[in-house]
Amino acid sequence: MNEALDPFVKSSLTFSMPNLVSADSTSKAAIPTPPMTNSVTNQPRNVTGSFGVPGPTADLLVRTSYIGAFDRRLRNVHWVAEKLTKDSIDRLALSDASLSDTEESKPDRKHSTFKEDPAIPLAFRVKPNDYTNSGFDRGHLVPAADVVESQAAIDETFFMSNMSPQAPAFNRGVWASFERYVRGLVKSFDEVYVITGPMYLPKQDPEDGKFYVKYEVIGRDKTVAVPTHFFKVILGVKNGSHYMGSFVLANEGVAQDTQLDSFLLPVEAIERSTGLEFFPFLERRSVKALCSAVKCSFKLASKYRANSASEE
Amino acid sequence: MNEALDPFVKSSLTFSMPNLVSADSTSKAAIPTPPMTNSVTNQPRNVTGSFGVPGPTADLLVRTSYIGAFDRRLRNVHWVAEKLTKDSIDRLALSDASLSDTEESKPDRKHSTFKEDPAIPLAFRVKPNDYTNSGFDRGHLVPAADVVESQAAIDETFFMSNMSPQAPAFNRGVWASFERYVRGLVKSFDEVYVITGPMYLPKQDPEDGKFYVKYEVIGRDKTVAVPTHFFKVILGVKNGSHYMGSFVLANEGVAQDTQLDSFLLPVEAIERSTGLEFFPFLERRSVKALCSAVKCSFKLASKYRANSASEE
């Protein structure tokens, strides 16, 4: 097939756009210019004049304790990434002790409020009341409880760009339980990298046998998508070895006897569905299974506070 | 609200990622590095280690006669862009005359075949047979008939990355008729810029009153989305004046008396739904309505060749 293509076509077809952030440090991101190949024959015409191209733009979220990329079309993130360590989690206990006499000044999520994210252009920005009366919680993707640096850092997890509409039975039940499990992994690993995001998965229609993706949209303009599922891809590092586990949970409550390992899915399946590539600079063949290093076969708490006003 | 944020947070929240291609020429694209602000307090932690970030990557398609950005998640483009002029369309007639004695060597879509696009990574690449038996046409988004440069340039419109699953009654009927209309605009303007792409629009469920986006997915792995709608944003330039018209058509056949102007929608509505920004370097206040310069109130052909094997 390639024989039919002329040299320009061949050369122009060998590159992809780089990742949004291609450097390995969030503070020193460099975005290389893609190699735009020209040749005398069949040089691409300038087809957009001086008017620019439409995007897509993924708004990069750079916070004190996490980074992420925002999906303007679905008004959820593409993903958020955080790093947990024993030290980062322990700092909470530390500050508990040192600040016990000045209770009010202690960093705490109770001092935070949901707020719109000024980093997102107005046309694509989600407002706290876009979720009002939808029946869905404003569900944190980076959990507030993972963040201890400062009140400002906790506040950053309350930007609406860090929220997805989550069913209360999910957000306050199995998801909260799963988040606690992930925090606990710092006891087993030196470093725990967590990438979390929404998914929109198809289901087979029993009547016509075809597969459909169906998700609700909420908000004033019906632009905020309600994900059908959420993923967490977790990378634990211990003594230079890497352990990866990837989980997909439906946006709904679960039966009481649901075990954590029932949510395990190959990371490639999550990549195929999301279009993302997780930990792309990591040689995947050298990675061991997370559940070979930590216990994954236990029951998650499914109970939730049905009447609680708080959203996590 | 902003008063509560510390200086780092304020400064880090004021930038968005640039467009994929920010320069005004496809052959000289420059991608600026976003200003990554640091401060002594609350400096962002490196939360992805040396393992990279997950994307999203929009594969940039640079062809002889069009450019585009590919959506790895939905296996359709985000958009494709082309430029039409009287000269570019007339060249076809010209080559017809000059090559009439060597019929077989004339550039023609009949010499082209659908083929997978080697510019897209295998995990996200669409194969011609992903559409087989789906009931949907492999519908060109840049029409083959818009391209006359060379056989290689026409072949480039047959990459599966330029296809969307289109209902035959749509692709061979109203959509083909609309594409002919767009080509005809070169008679009214010096330059015609056309951006085309898929949409996934919500519908209200009459039973529960809520809004849902629902689309079929086809292919071996059920990863190729069937758009519910398609847009074309058209910019005509004449004597230095700009005329814009934006149209949204449902992926289905239409009634016989359907008029073109029934598909008109404000470009802002398309932007809100797609997350894109059209002709971002153009001062929109100075733009006139396309339909103030050309006739938009006429019936589109709705008939189609139901038994035709060819797909456009």
Side-chain angles (χ1 to χ4, degrees):
Chain A
M1 181 183 79
N2 272 344
E3 288 81 338
L5 301 178
D6 74 21
F8 164 73
V9 178
K10 276 188 191 160
S11 61
S12 74
L13 293 177
T14 54
F15 70 89
S16 294
M17 280 298 291
N19 280 337
L20 272 181
V21 180
S22 61
D24 57 7
S25 156
T26 59
S27 59
K28 286 173 66 179
I31 298 184
T33 302
M36 294 287 185
T37 311
N38 291 318
S39 74
V40 177
T41 57
N42 285 327
Q43 178 160 347
R45 288 194 275 138
N46 174 353
V47 296
T48 53
S50 56
F51 309 115
V53 298
T57 299
D59 301 286
L60 186 61
L61 313 174
V62 182
R63 316 299 196 199
T64 304
S65 59
Y66 71 94
I67 63 171
F70 186 75
D71 183 346
R72 292 182 174 188
R73 193 169 73 77
L74 297 174
R75 270 76 163 179
N76 285 249
V77 289
H78 291 287
W79 53 268
V80 286
E82 46 179 327
K83 176 185 175 181
L84 304 174
T85 62
K86 200 160 186 297
D87 178 61
S88 82
I89 300 289
D90 277 356
R91 231 183 294 176
L92 184 57
L94 213 75
S95 70
D96 272 351
S98 61
L99 292 170
S100 57
D101 53 342
T102 58
E103 181 71 22
E104 278 313 302
S105 65
K106 194 170 62 178
D108 192 308
R109 61 172 294 160
K110 74 184 176 197
H111 304 307
S112 302
T113 52
F114 296 101
K115 51 190 177 299
E116 56 183 278
D117 185 344
I120 310 297
L122 271 173
F124 309 117
R125 195 183 294 174
V126 181
K127 294 183 167 46
N129 65 13
D130 277 324
Y131 284 50
T132 305
N133 296 327
S134 70
F136 292 98
D137 279 1
R138 290 168 286 206
H140 284 69
L141 294 192
V142 170
D146 285 3
V147 176
V148 293
E149 265 92 341
S150 63
Q151 188 61 45
I154 297 174
D155 288 350
E156 287 179 306
T157 70
F158 279 77
F159 282 127
M160 291 306 295
S161 51
N162 183 43
M163 302 299 149
S164 280
Q166 294 185 328
F170 172 74
N171 180 40
R172 307 174 197 179
V174 61
W175 185 246
S177 174
F178 182 39
E179 288 175 332
R180 278 193 297 276
Y181 165 81
V182 173
R183 272 192 294 280
L185 291 176
V186 299
K187 285 178 272 183
S188 306
F189 298 101
D190 304 327
E191 301 171 342
V192 178
Y193 297 91
V194 187
I195 300 180
T196 306
M199 298 177 83
Y200 310 87
L201 294 184
K203 251 190 190 167
Q204 189 169 25
D205 183 320
E207 286 184 27
D208 66 10
K210 297 177 180 176
F211 288 79
Y212 297 91
V213 171
K214 183 182 181 184
Y215 54 86
E216 193 178 342
V217 284
I218 63 171
R220 200 192 49 180
D221 298 323
K222 308 302 174 195
T223 51
V224 181
V226 180
T228 63
H229 294 73
F230 295 91
F231 68 80
K232 275 189 190 287
V233 180
I234 301 168
L235 176 67
V237 182
K238 185 168 63 175
N239 299 329
S241 288
H242 302 90
Y243 302 84
M244 200 191 295
S246 44
F247 301 84
V248 172
L249 287 75
N251 189 2
E252 59 192 21
V254 296
Q256 274 200 348
D257 57 351
T258 303
Q259 300 225 114
L260 174 65
D261 51 10
S262 69
F263 300 119
L264 279 167
L265 260 193
V267 67
E268 291 79 10
I270 303 177
E271 293 179 324
R272 196 164 55 222
S273 168
T274 59
L276 302 175
E277 296 174 285
F278 296 97
F279 305 113
F281 303 159
L282 182 67
E283 178 56 67
R284 202 164 283 176
R285 276 173 303 180
S286 69
V287 175
K288 299 170 183 127
L290 186 83
C291 298
S292 72
V294 293
K295 193 182 168 199
C296 293
S297 56
F298 66 91
K299 293 177 189 173
L300 288 169
S302 60
K303 291 266 183 63
Y304 73 99
R305 298 154 285 138
N307 296 317
S308 164
S310 89
E311 297 161 86
E312 299 202 17
Chain B
M1 182 183 79
N2 272 345
E3 288 81 338
L5 301 177
D6 74 20
F8 164 74
V9 178
K10 276 188 192 160
S11 61
S12 73
L13 293 178
T14 54
F15 70 90
S16 294
M17 280 297 291
N19 280 337
L20 272 180
V21 180
S22 62
D24 57 6
S25 156
T26 58
S27 59
K28 285 174 66 180
I31 298 184
T33 302
M36 294 289 185
T37 311
N38 290 317
S39 73
V40 176
T41 57
N42 286 328
Q43 178 159 347
R45 287 194 276 139
N46 174 353
V47 296
T48 53
S50 56
F51 309 115
V53 298
T57 298
D59 300 286
L60 185 61
L61 313 174
V62 182
R63 316 299 196 199
T64 304
S65 59
Y66 71 95
I67 63 171
F70 186 75
D71 182 345
R72 293 182 173 188
R73 192 168 74 77
L74 298 174
R75 269 77 163 178
N76 285 249
V77 289
H78 291 287
W79 54 267
V80 286
E82 46 179 328
K83 176 185 175 181
L84 304 174
T85 62
K86 200 161 185 298
D87 178 61
S88 82
I89 299 290
D90 277 356
R91 231 183 295 177
L92 183 58
L94 213 75
S95 70
D96 271 350
S98 62
L99 292 170
S100 57
D101 53 342
T102 57
E103 181 70 22
E104 278 312 302
S105 65
K106 194 169 62 178
D108 192 309
R109 60 172 294 160
K110 74 184 175 196
H111 303 307
S112 301
T113 52
F114 296 101
K115 51 189 177 299
E116 55 184 279
D117 185 343
I120 310 296
L122 270 173
F124 309 117
R125 194 183 295 174
V126 181
K127 294 182 166 48
N129 65 14
D130 277 324
Y131 283 51
T132 305
N133 296 326
S134 70
F136 293 98
D137 279 1
R138 290 167 286 205
H140 284 69
L141 294 192
V142 170
D146 285 4
V147 176
V148 293
E149 266 91 341
S150 64
Q151 189 61 45
I154 298 174
D155 288 350
E156 287 178 306
T157 70
F158 278 77
F159 282 128
M160 290 306 296
S161 52
N162 183 43
M163 302 299 150
S164 280
Q166 294 185 328
F170 172 75
N171 180 40
R172 307 173 197 180
V174 62
W175 185 245
S177 175
F178 182 41
E179 288 175 332
R180 277 192 297 276
Y181 165 81
V182 173
R183 271 192 295 280
L185 291 176
V186 299
K187 285 178 271 183
S188 306
F189 298 100
D190 304 327
E191 301 171 341
V192 178
Y193 297 91
V194 187
I195 301 180
T196 306
M199 298 177 83
Y200 310 87
L201 294 184
K203 252 190 190 167
Q204 189 169 25
D205 183 320
E207 286 184 27
D208 66 10
K210 297 177 180 176
F211 288 79
Y212 297 91
V213 171
K214 183 181 180 183
Y215 53 86
E216 193 178 343
V217 285
I218 63 171
R220 200 192 50 180
D221 298 324
K222 308 301 175 197
T223 50
V224 181
V226 180
T228 64
H229 294 72
F230 294 91
F231 68 80
K232 275 189 190 287
V233 180
I234 301 168
L235 176 67
V237 182
K238 185 168 63 175
N239 299 329
S241 288
H242 302 91
Y243 302 83
M244 200 191 294
S246 43
F247 301 84
V248 172
L249 287 75
N251 189 1
E252 60 192 20
V254 295
Q256 275 200 348
D257 57 350
T258 303
Q259 300 225 114
L260 174 65
D261 51 9
S262 69
F263 301 119
L264 279 167
L265 260 194
V267 67
E268 290 79 10
I270 303 177
E271 293 179 324
R272 196 165 55 222
S273 168
T274 60
L276 302 175
E277 296 174 286
F278 296 98
F279 305 114
F281 303 159
L282 182 68
E283 178 56 67
R284 201 164 283 176
R285 276 173 303 181
S286 69
V287 175
K288 299 169 183 128
L290 186 84
C291 298
S292 72
V294 293
K295 192 182 169 199
C296 293
S297 56
F298 66 90
K299 293 177 189 173
L300 289 169
S302 61
K303 291 266 182 64
Y304 72 99
R305 298 154 285 138
N307 297 317
S308 164
S310 90
E311 298 161 86
E312 299 201 18

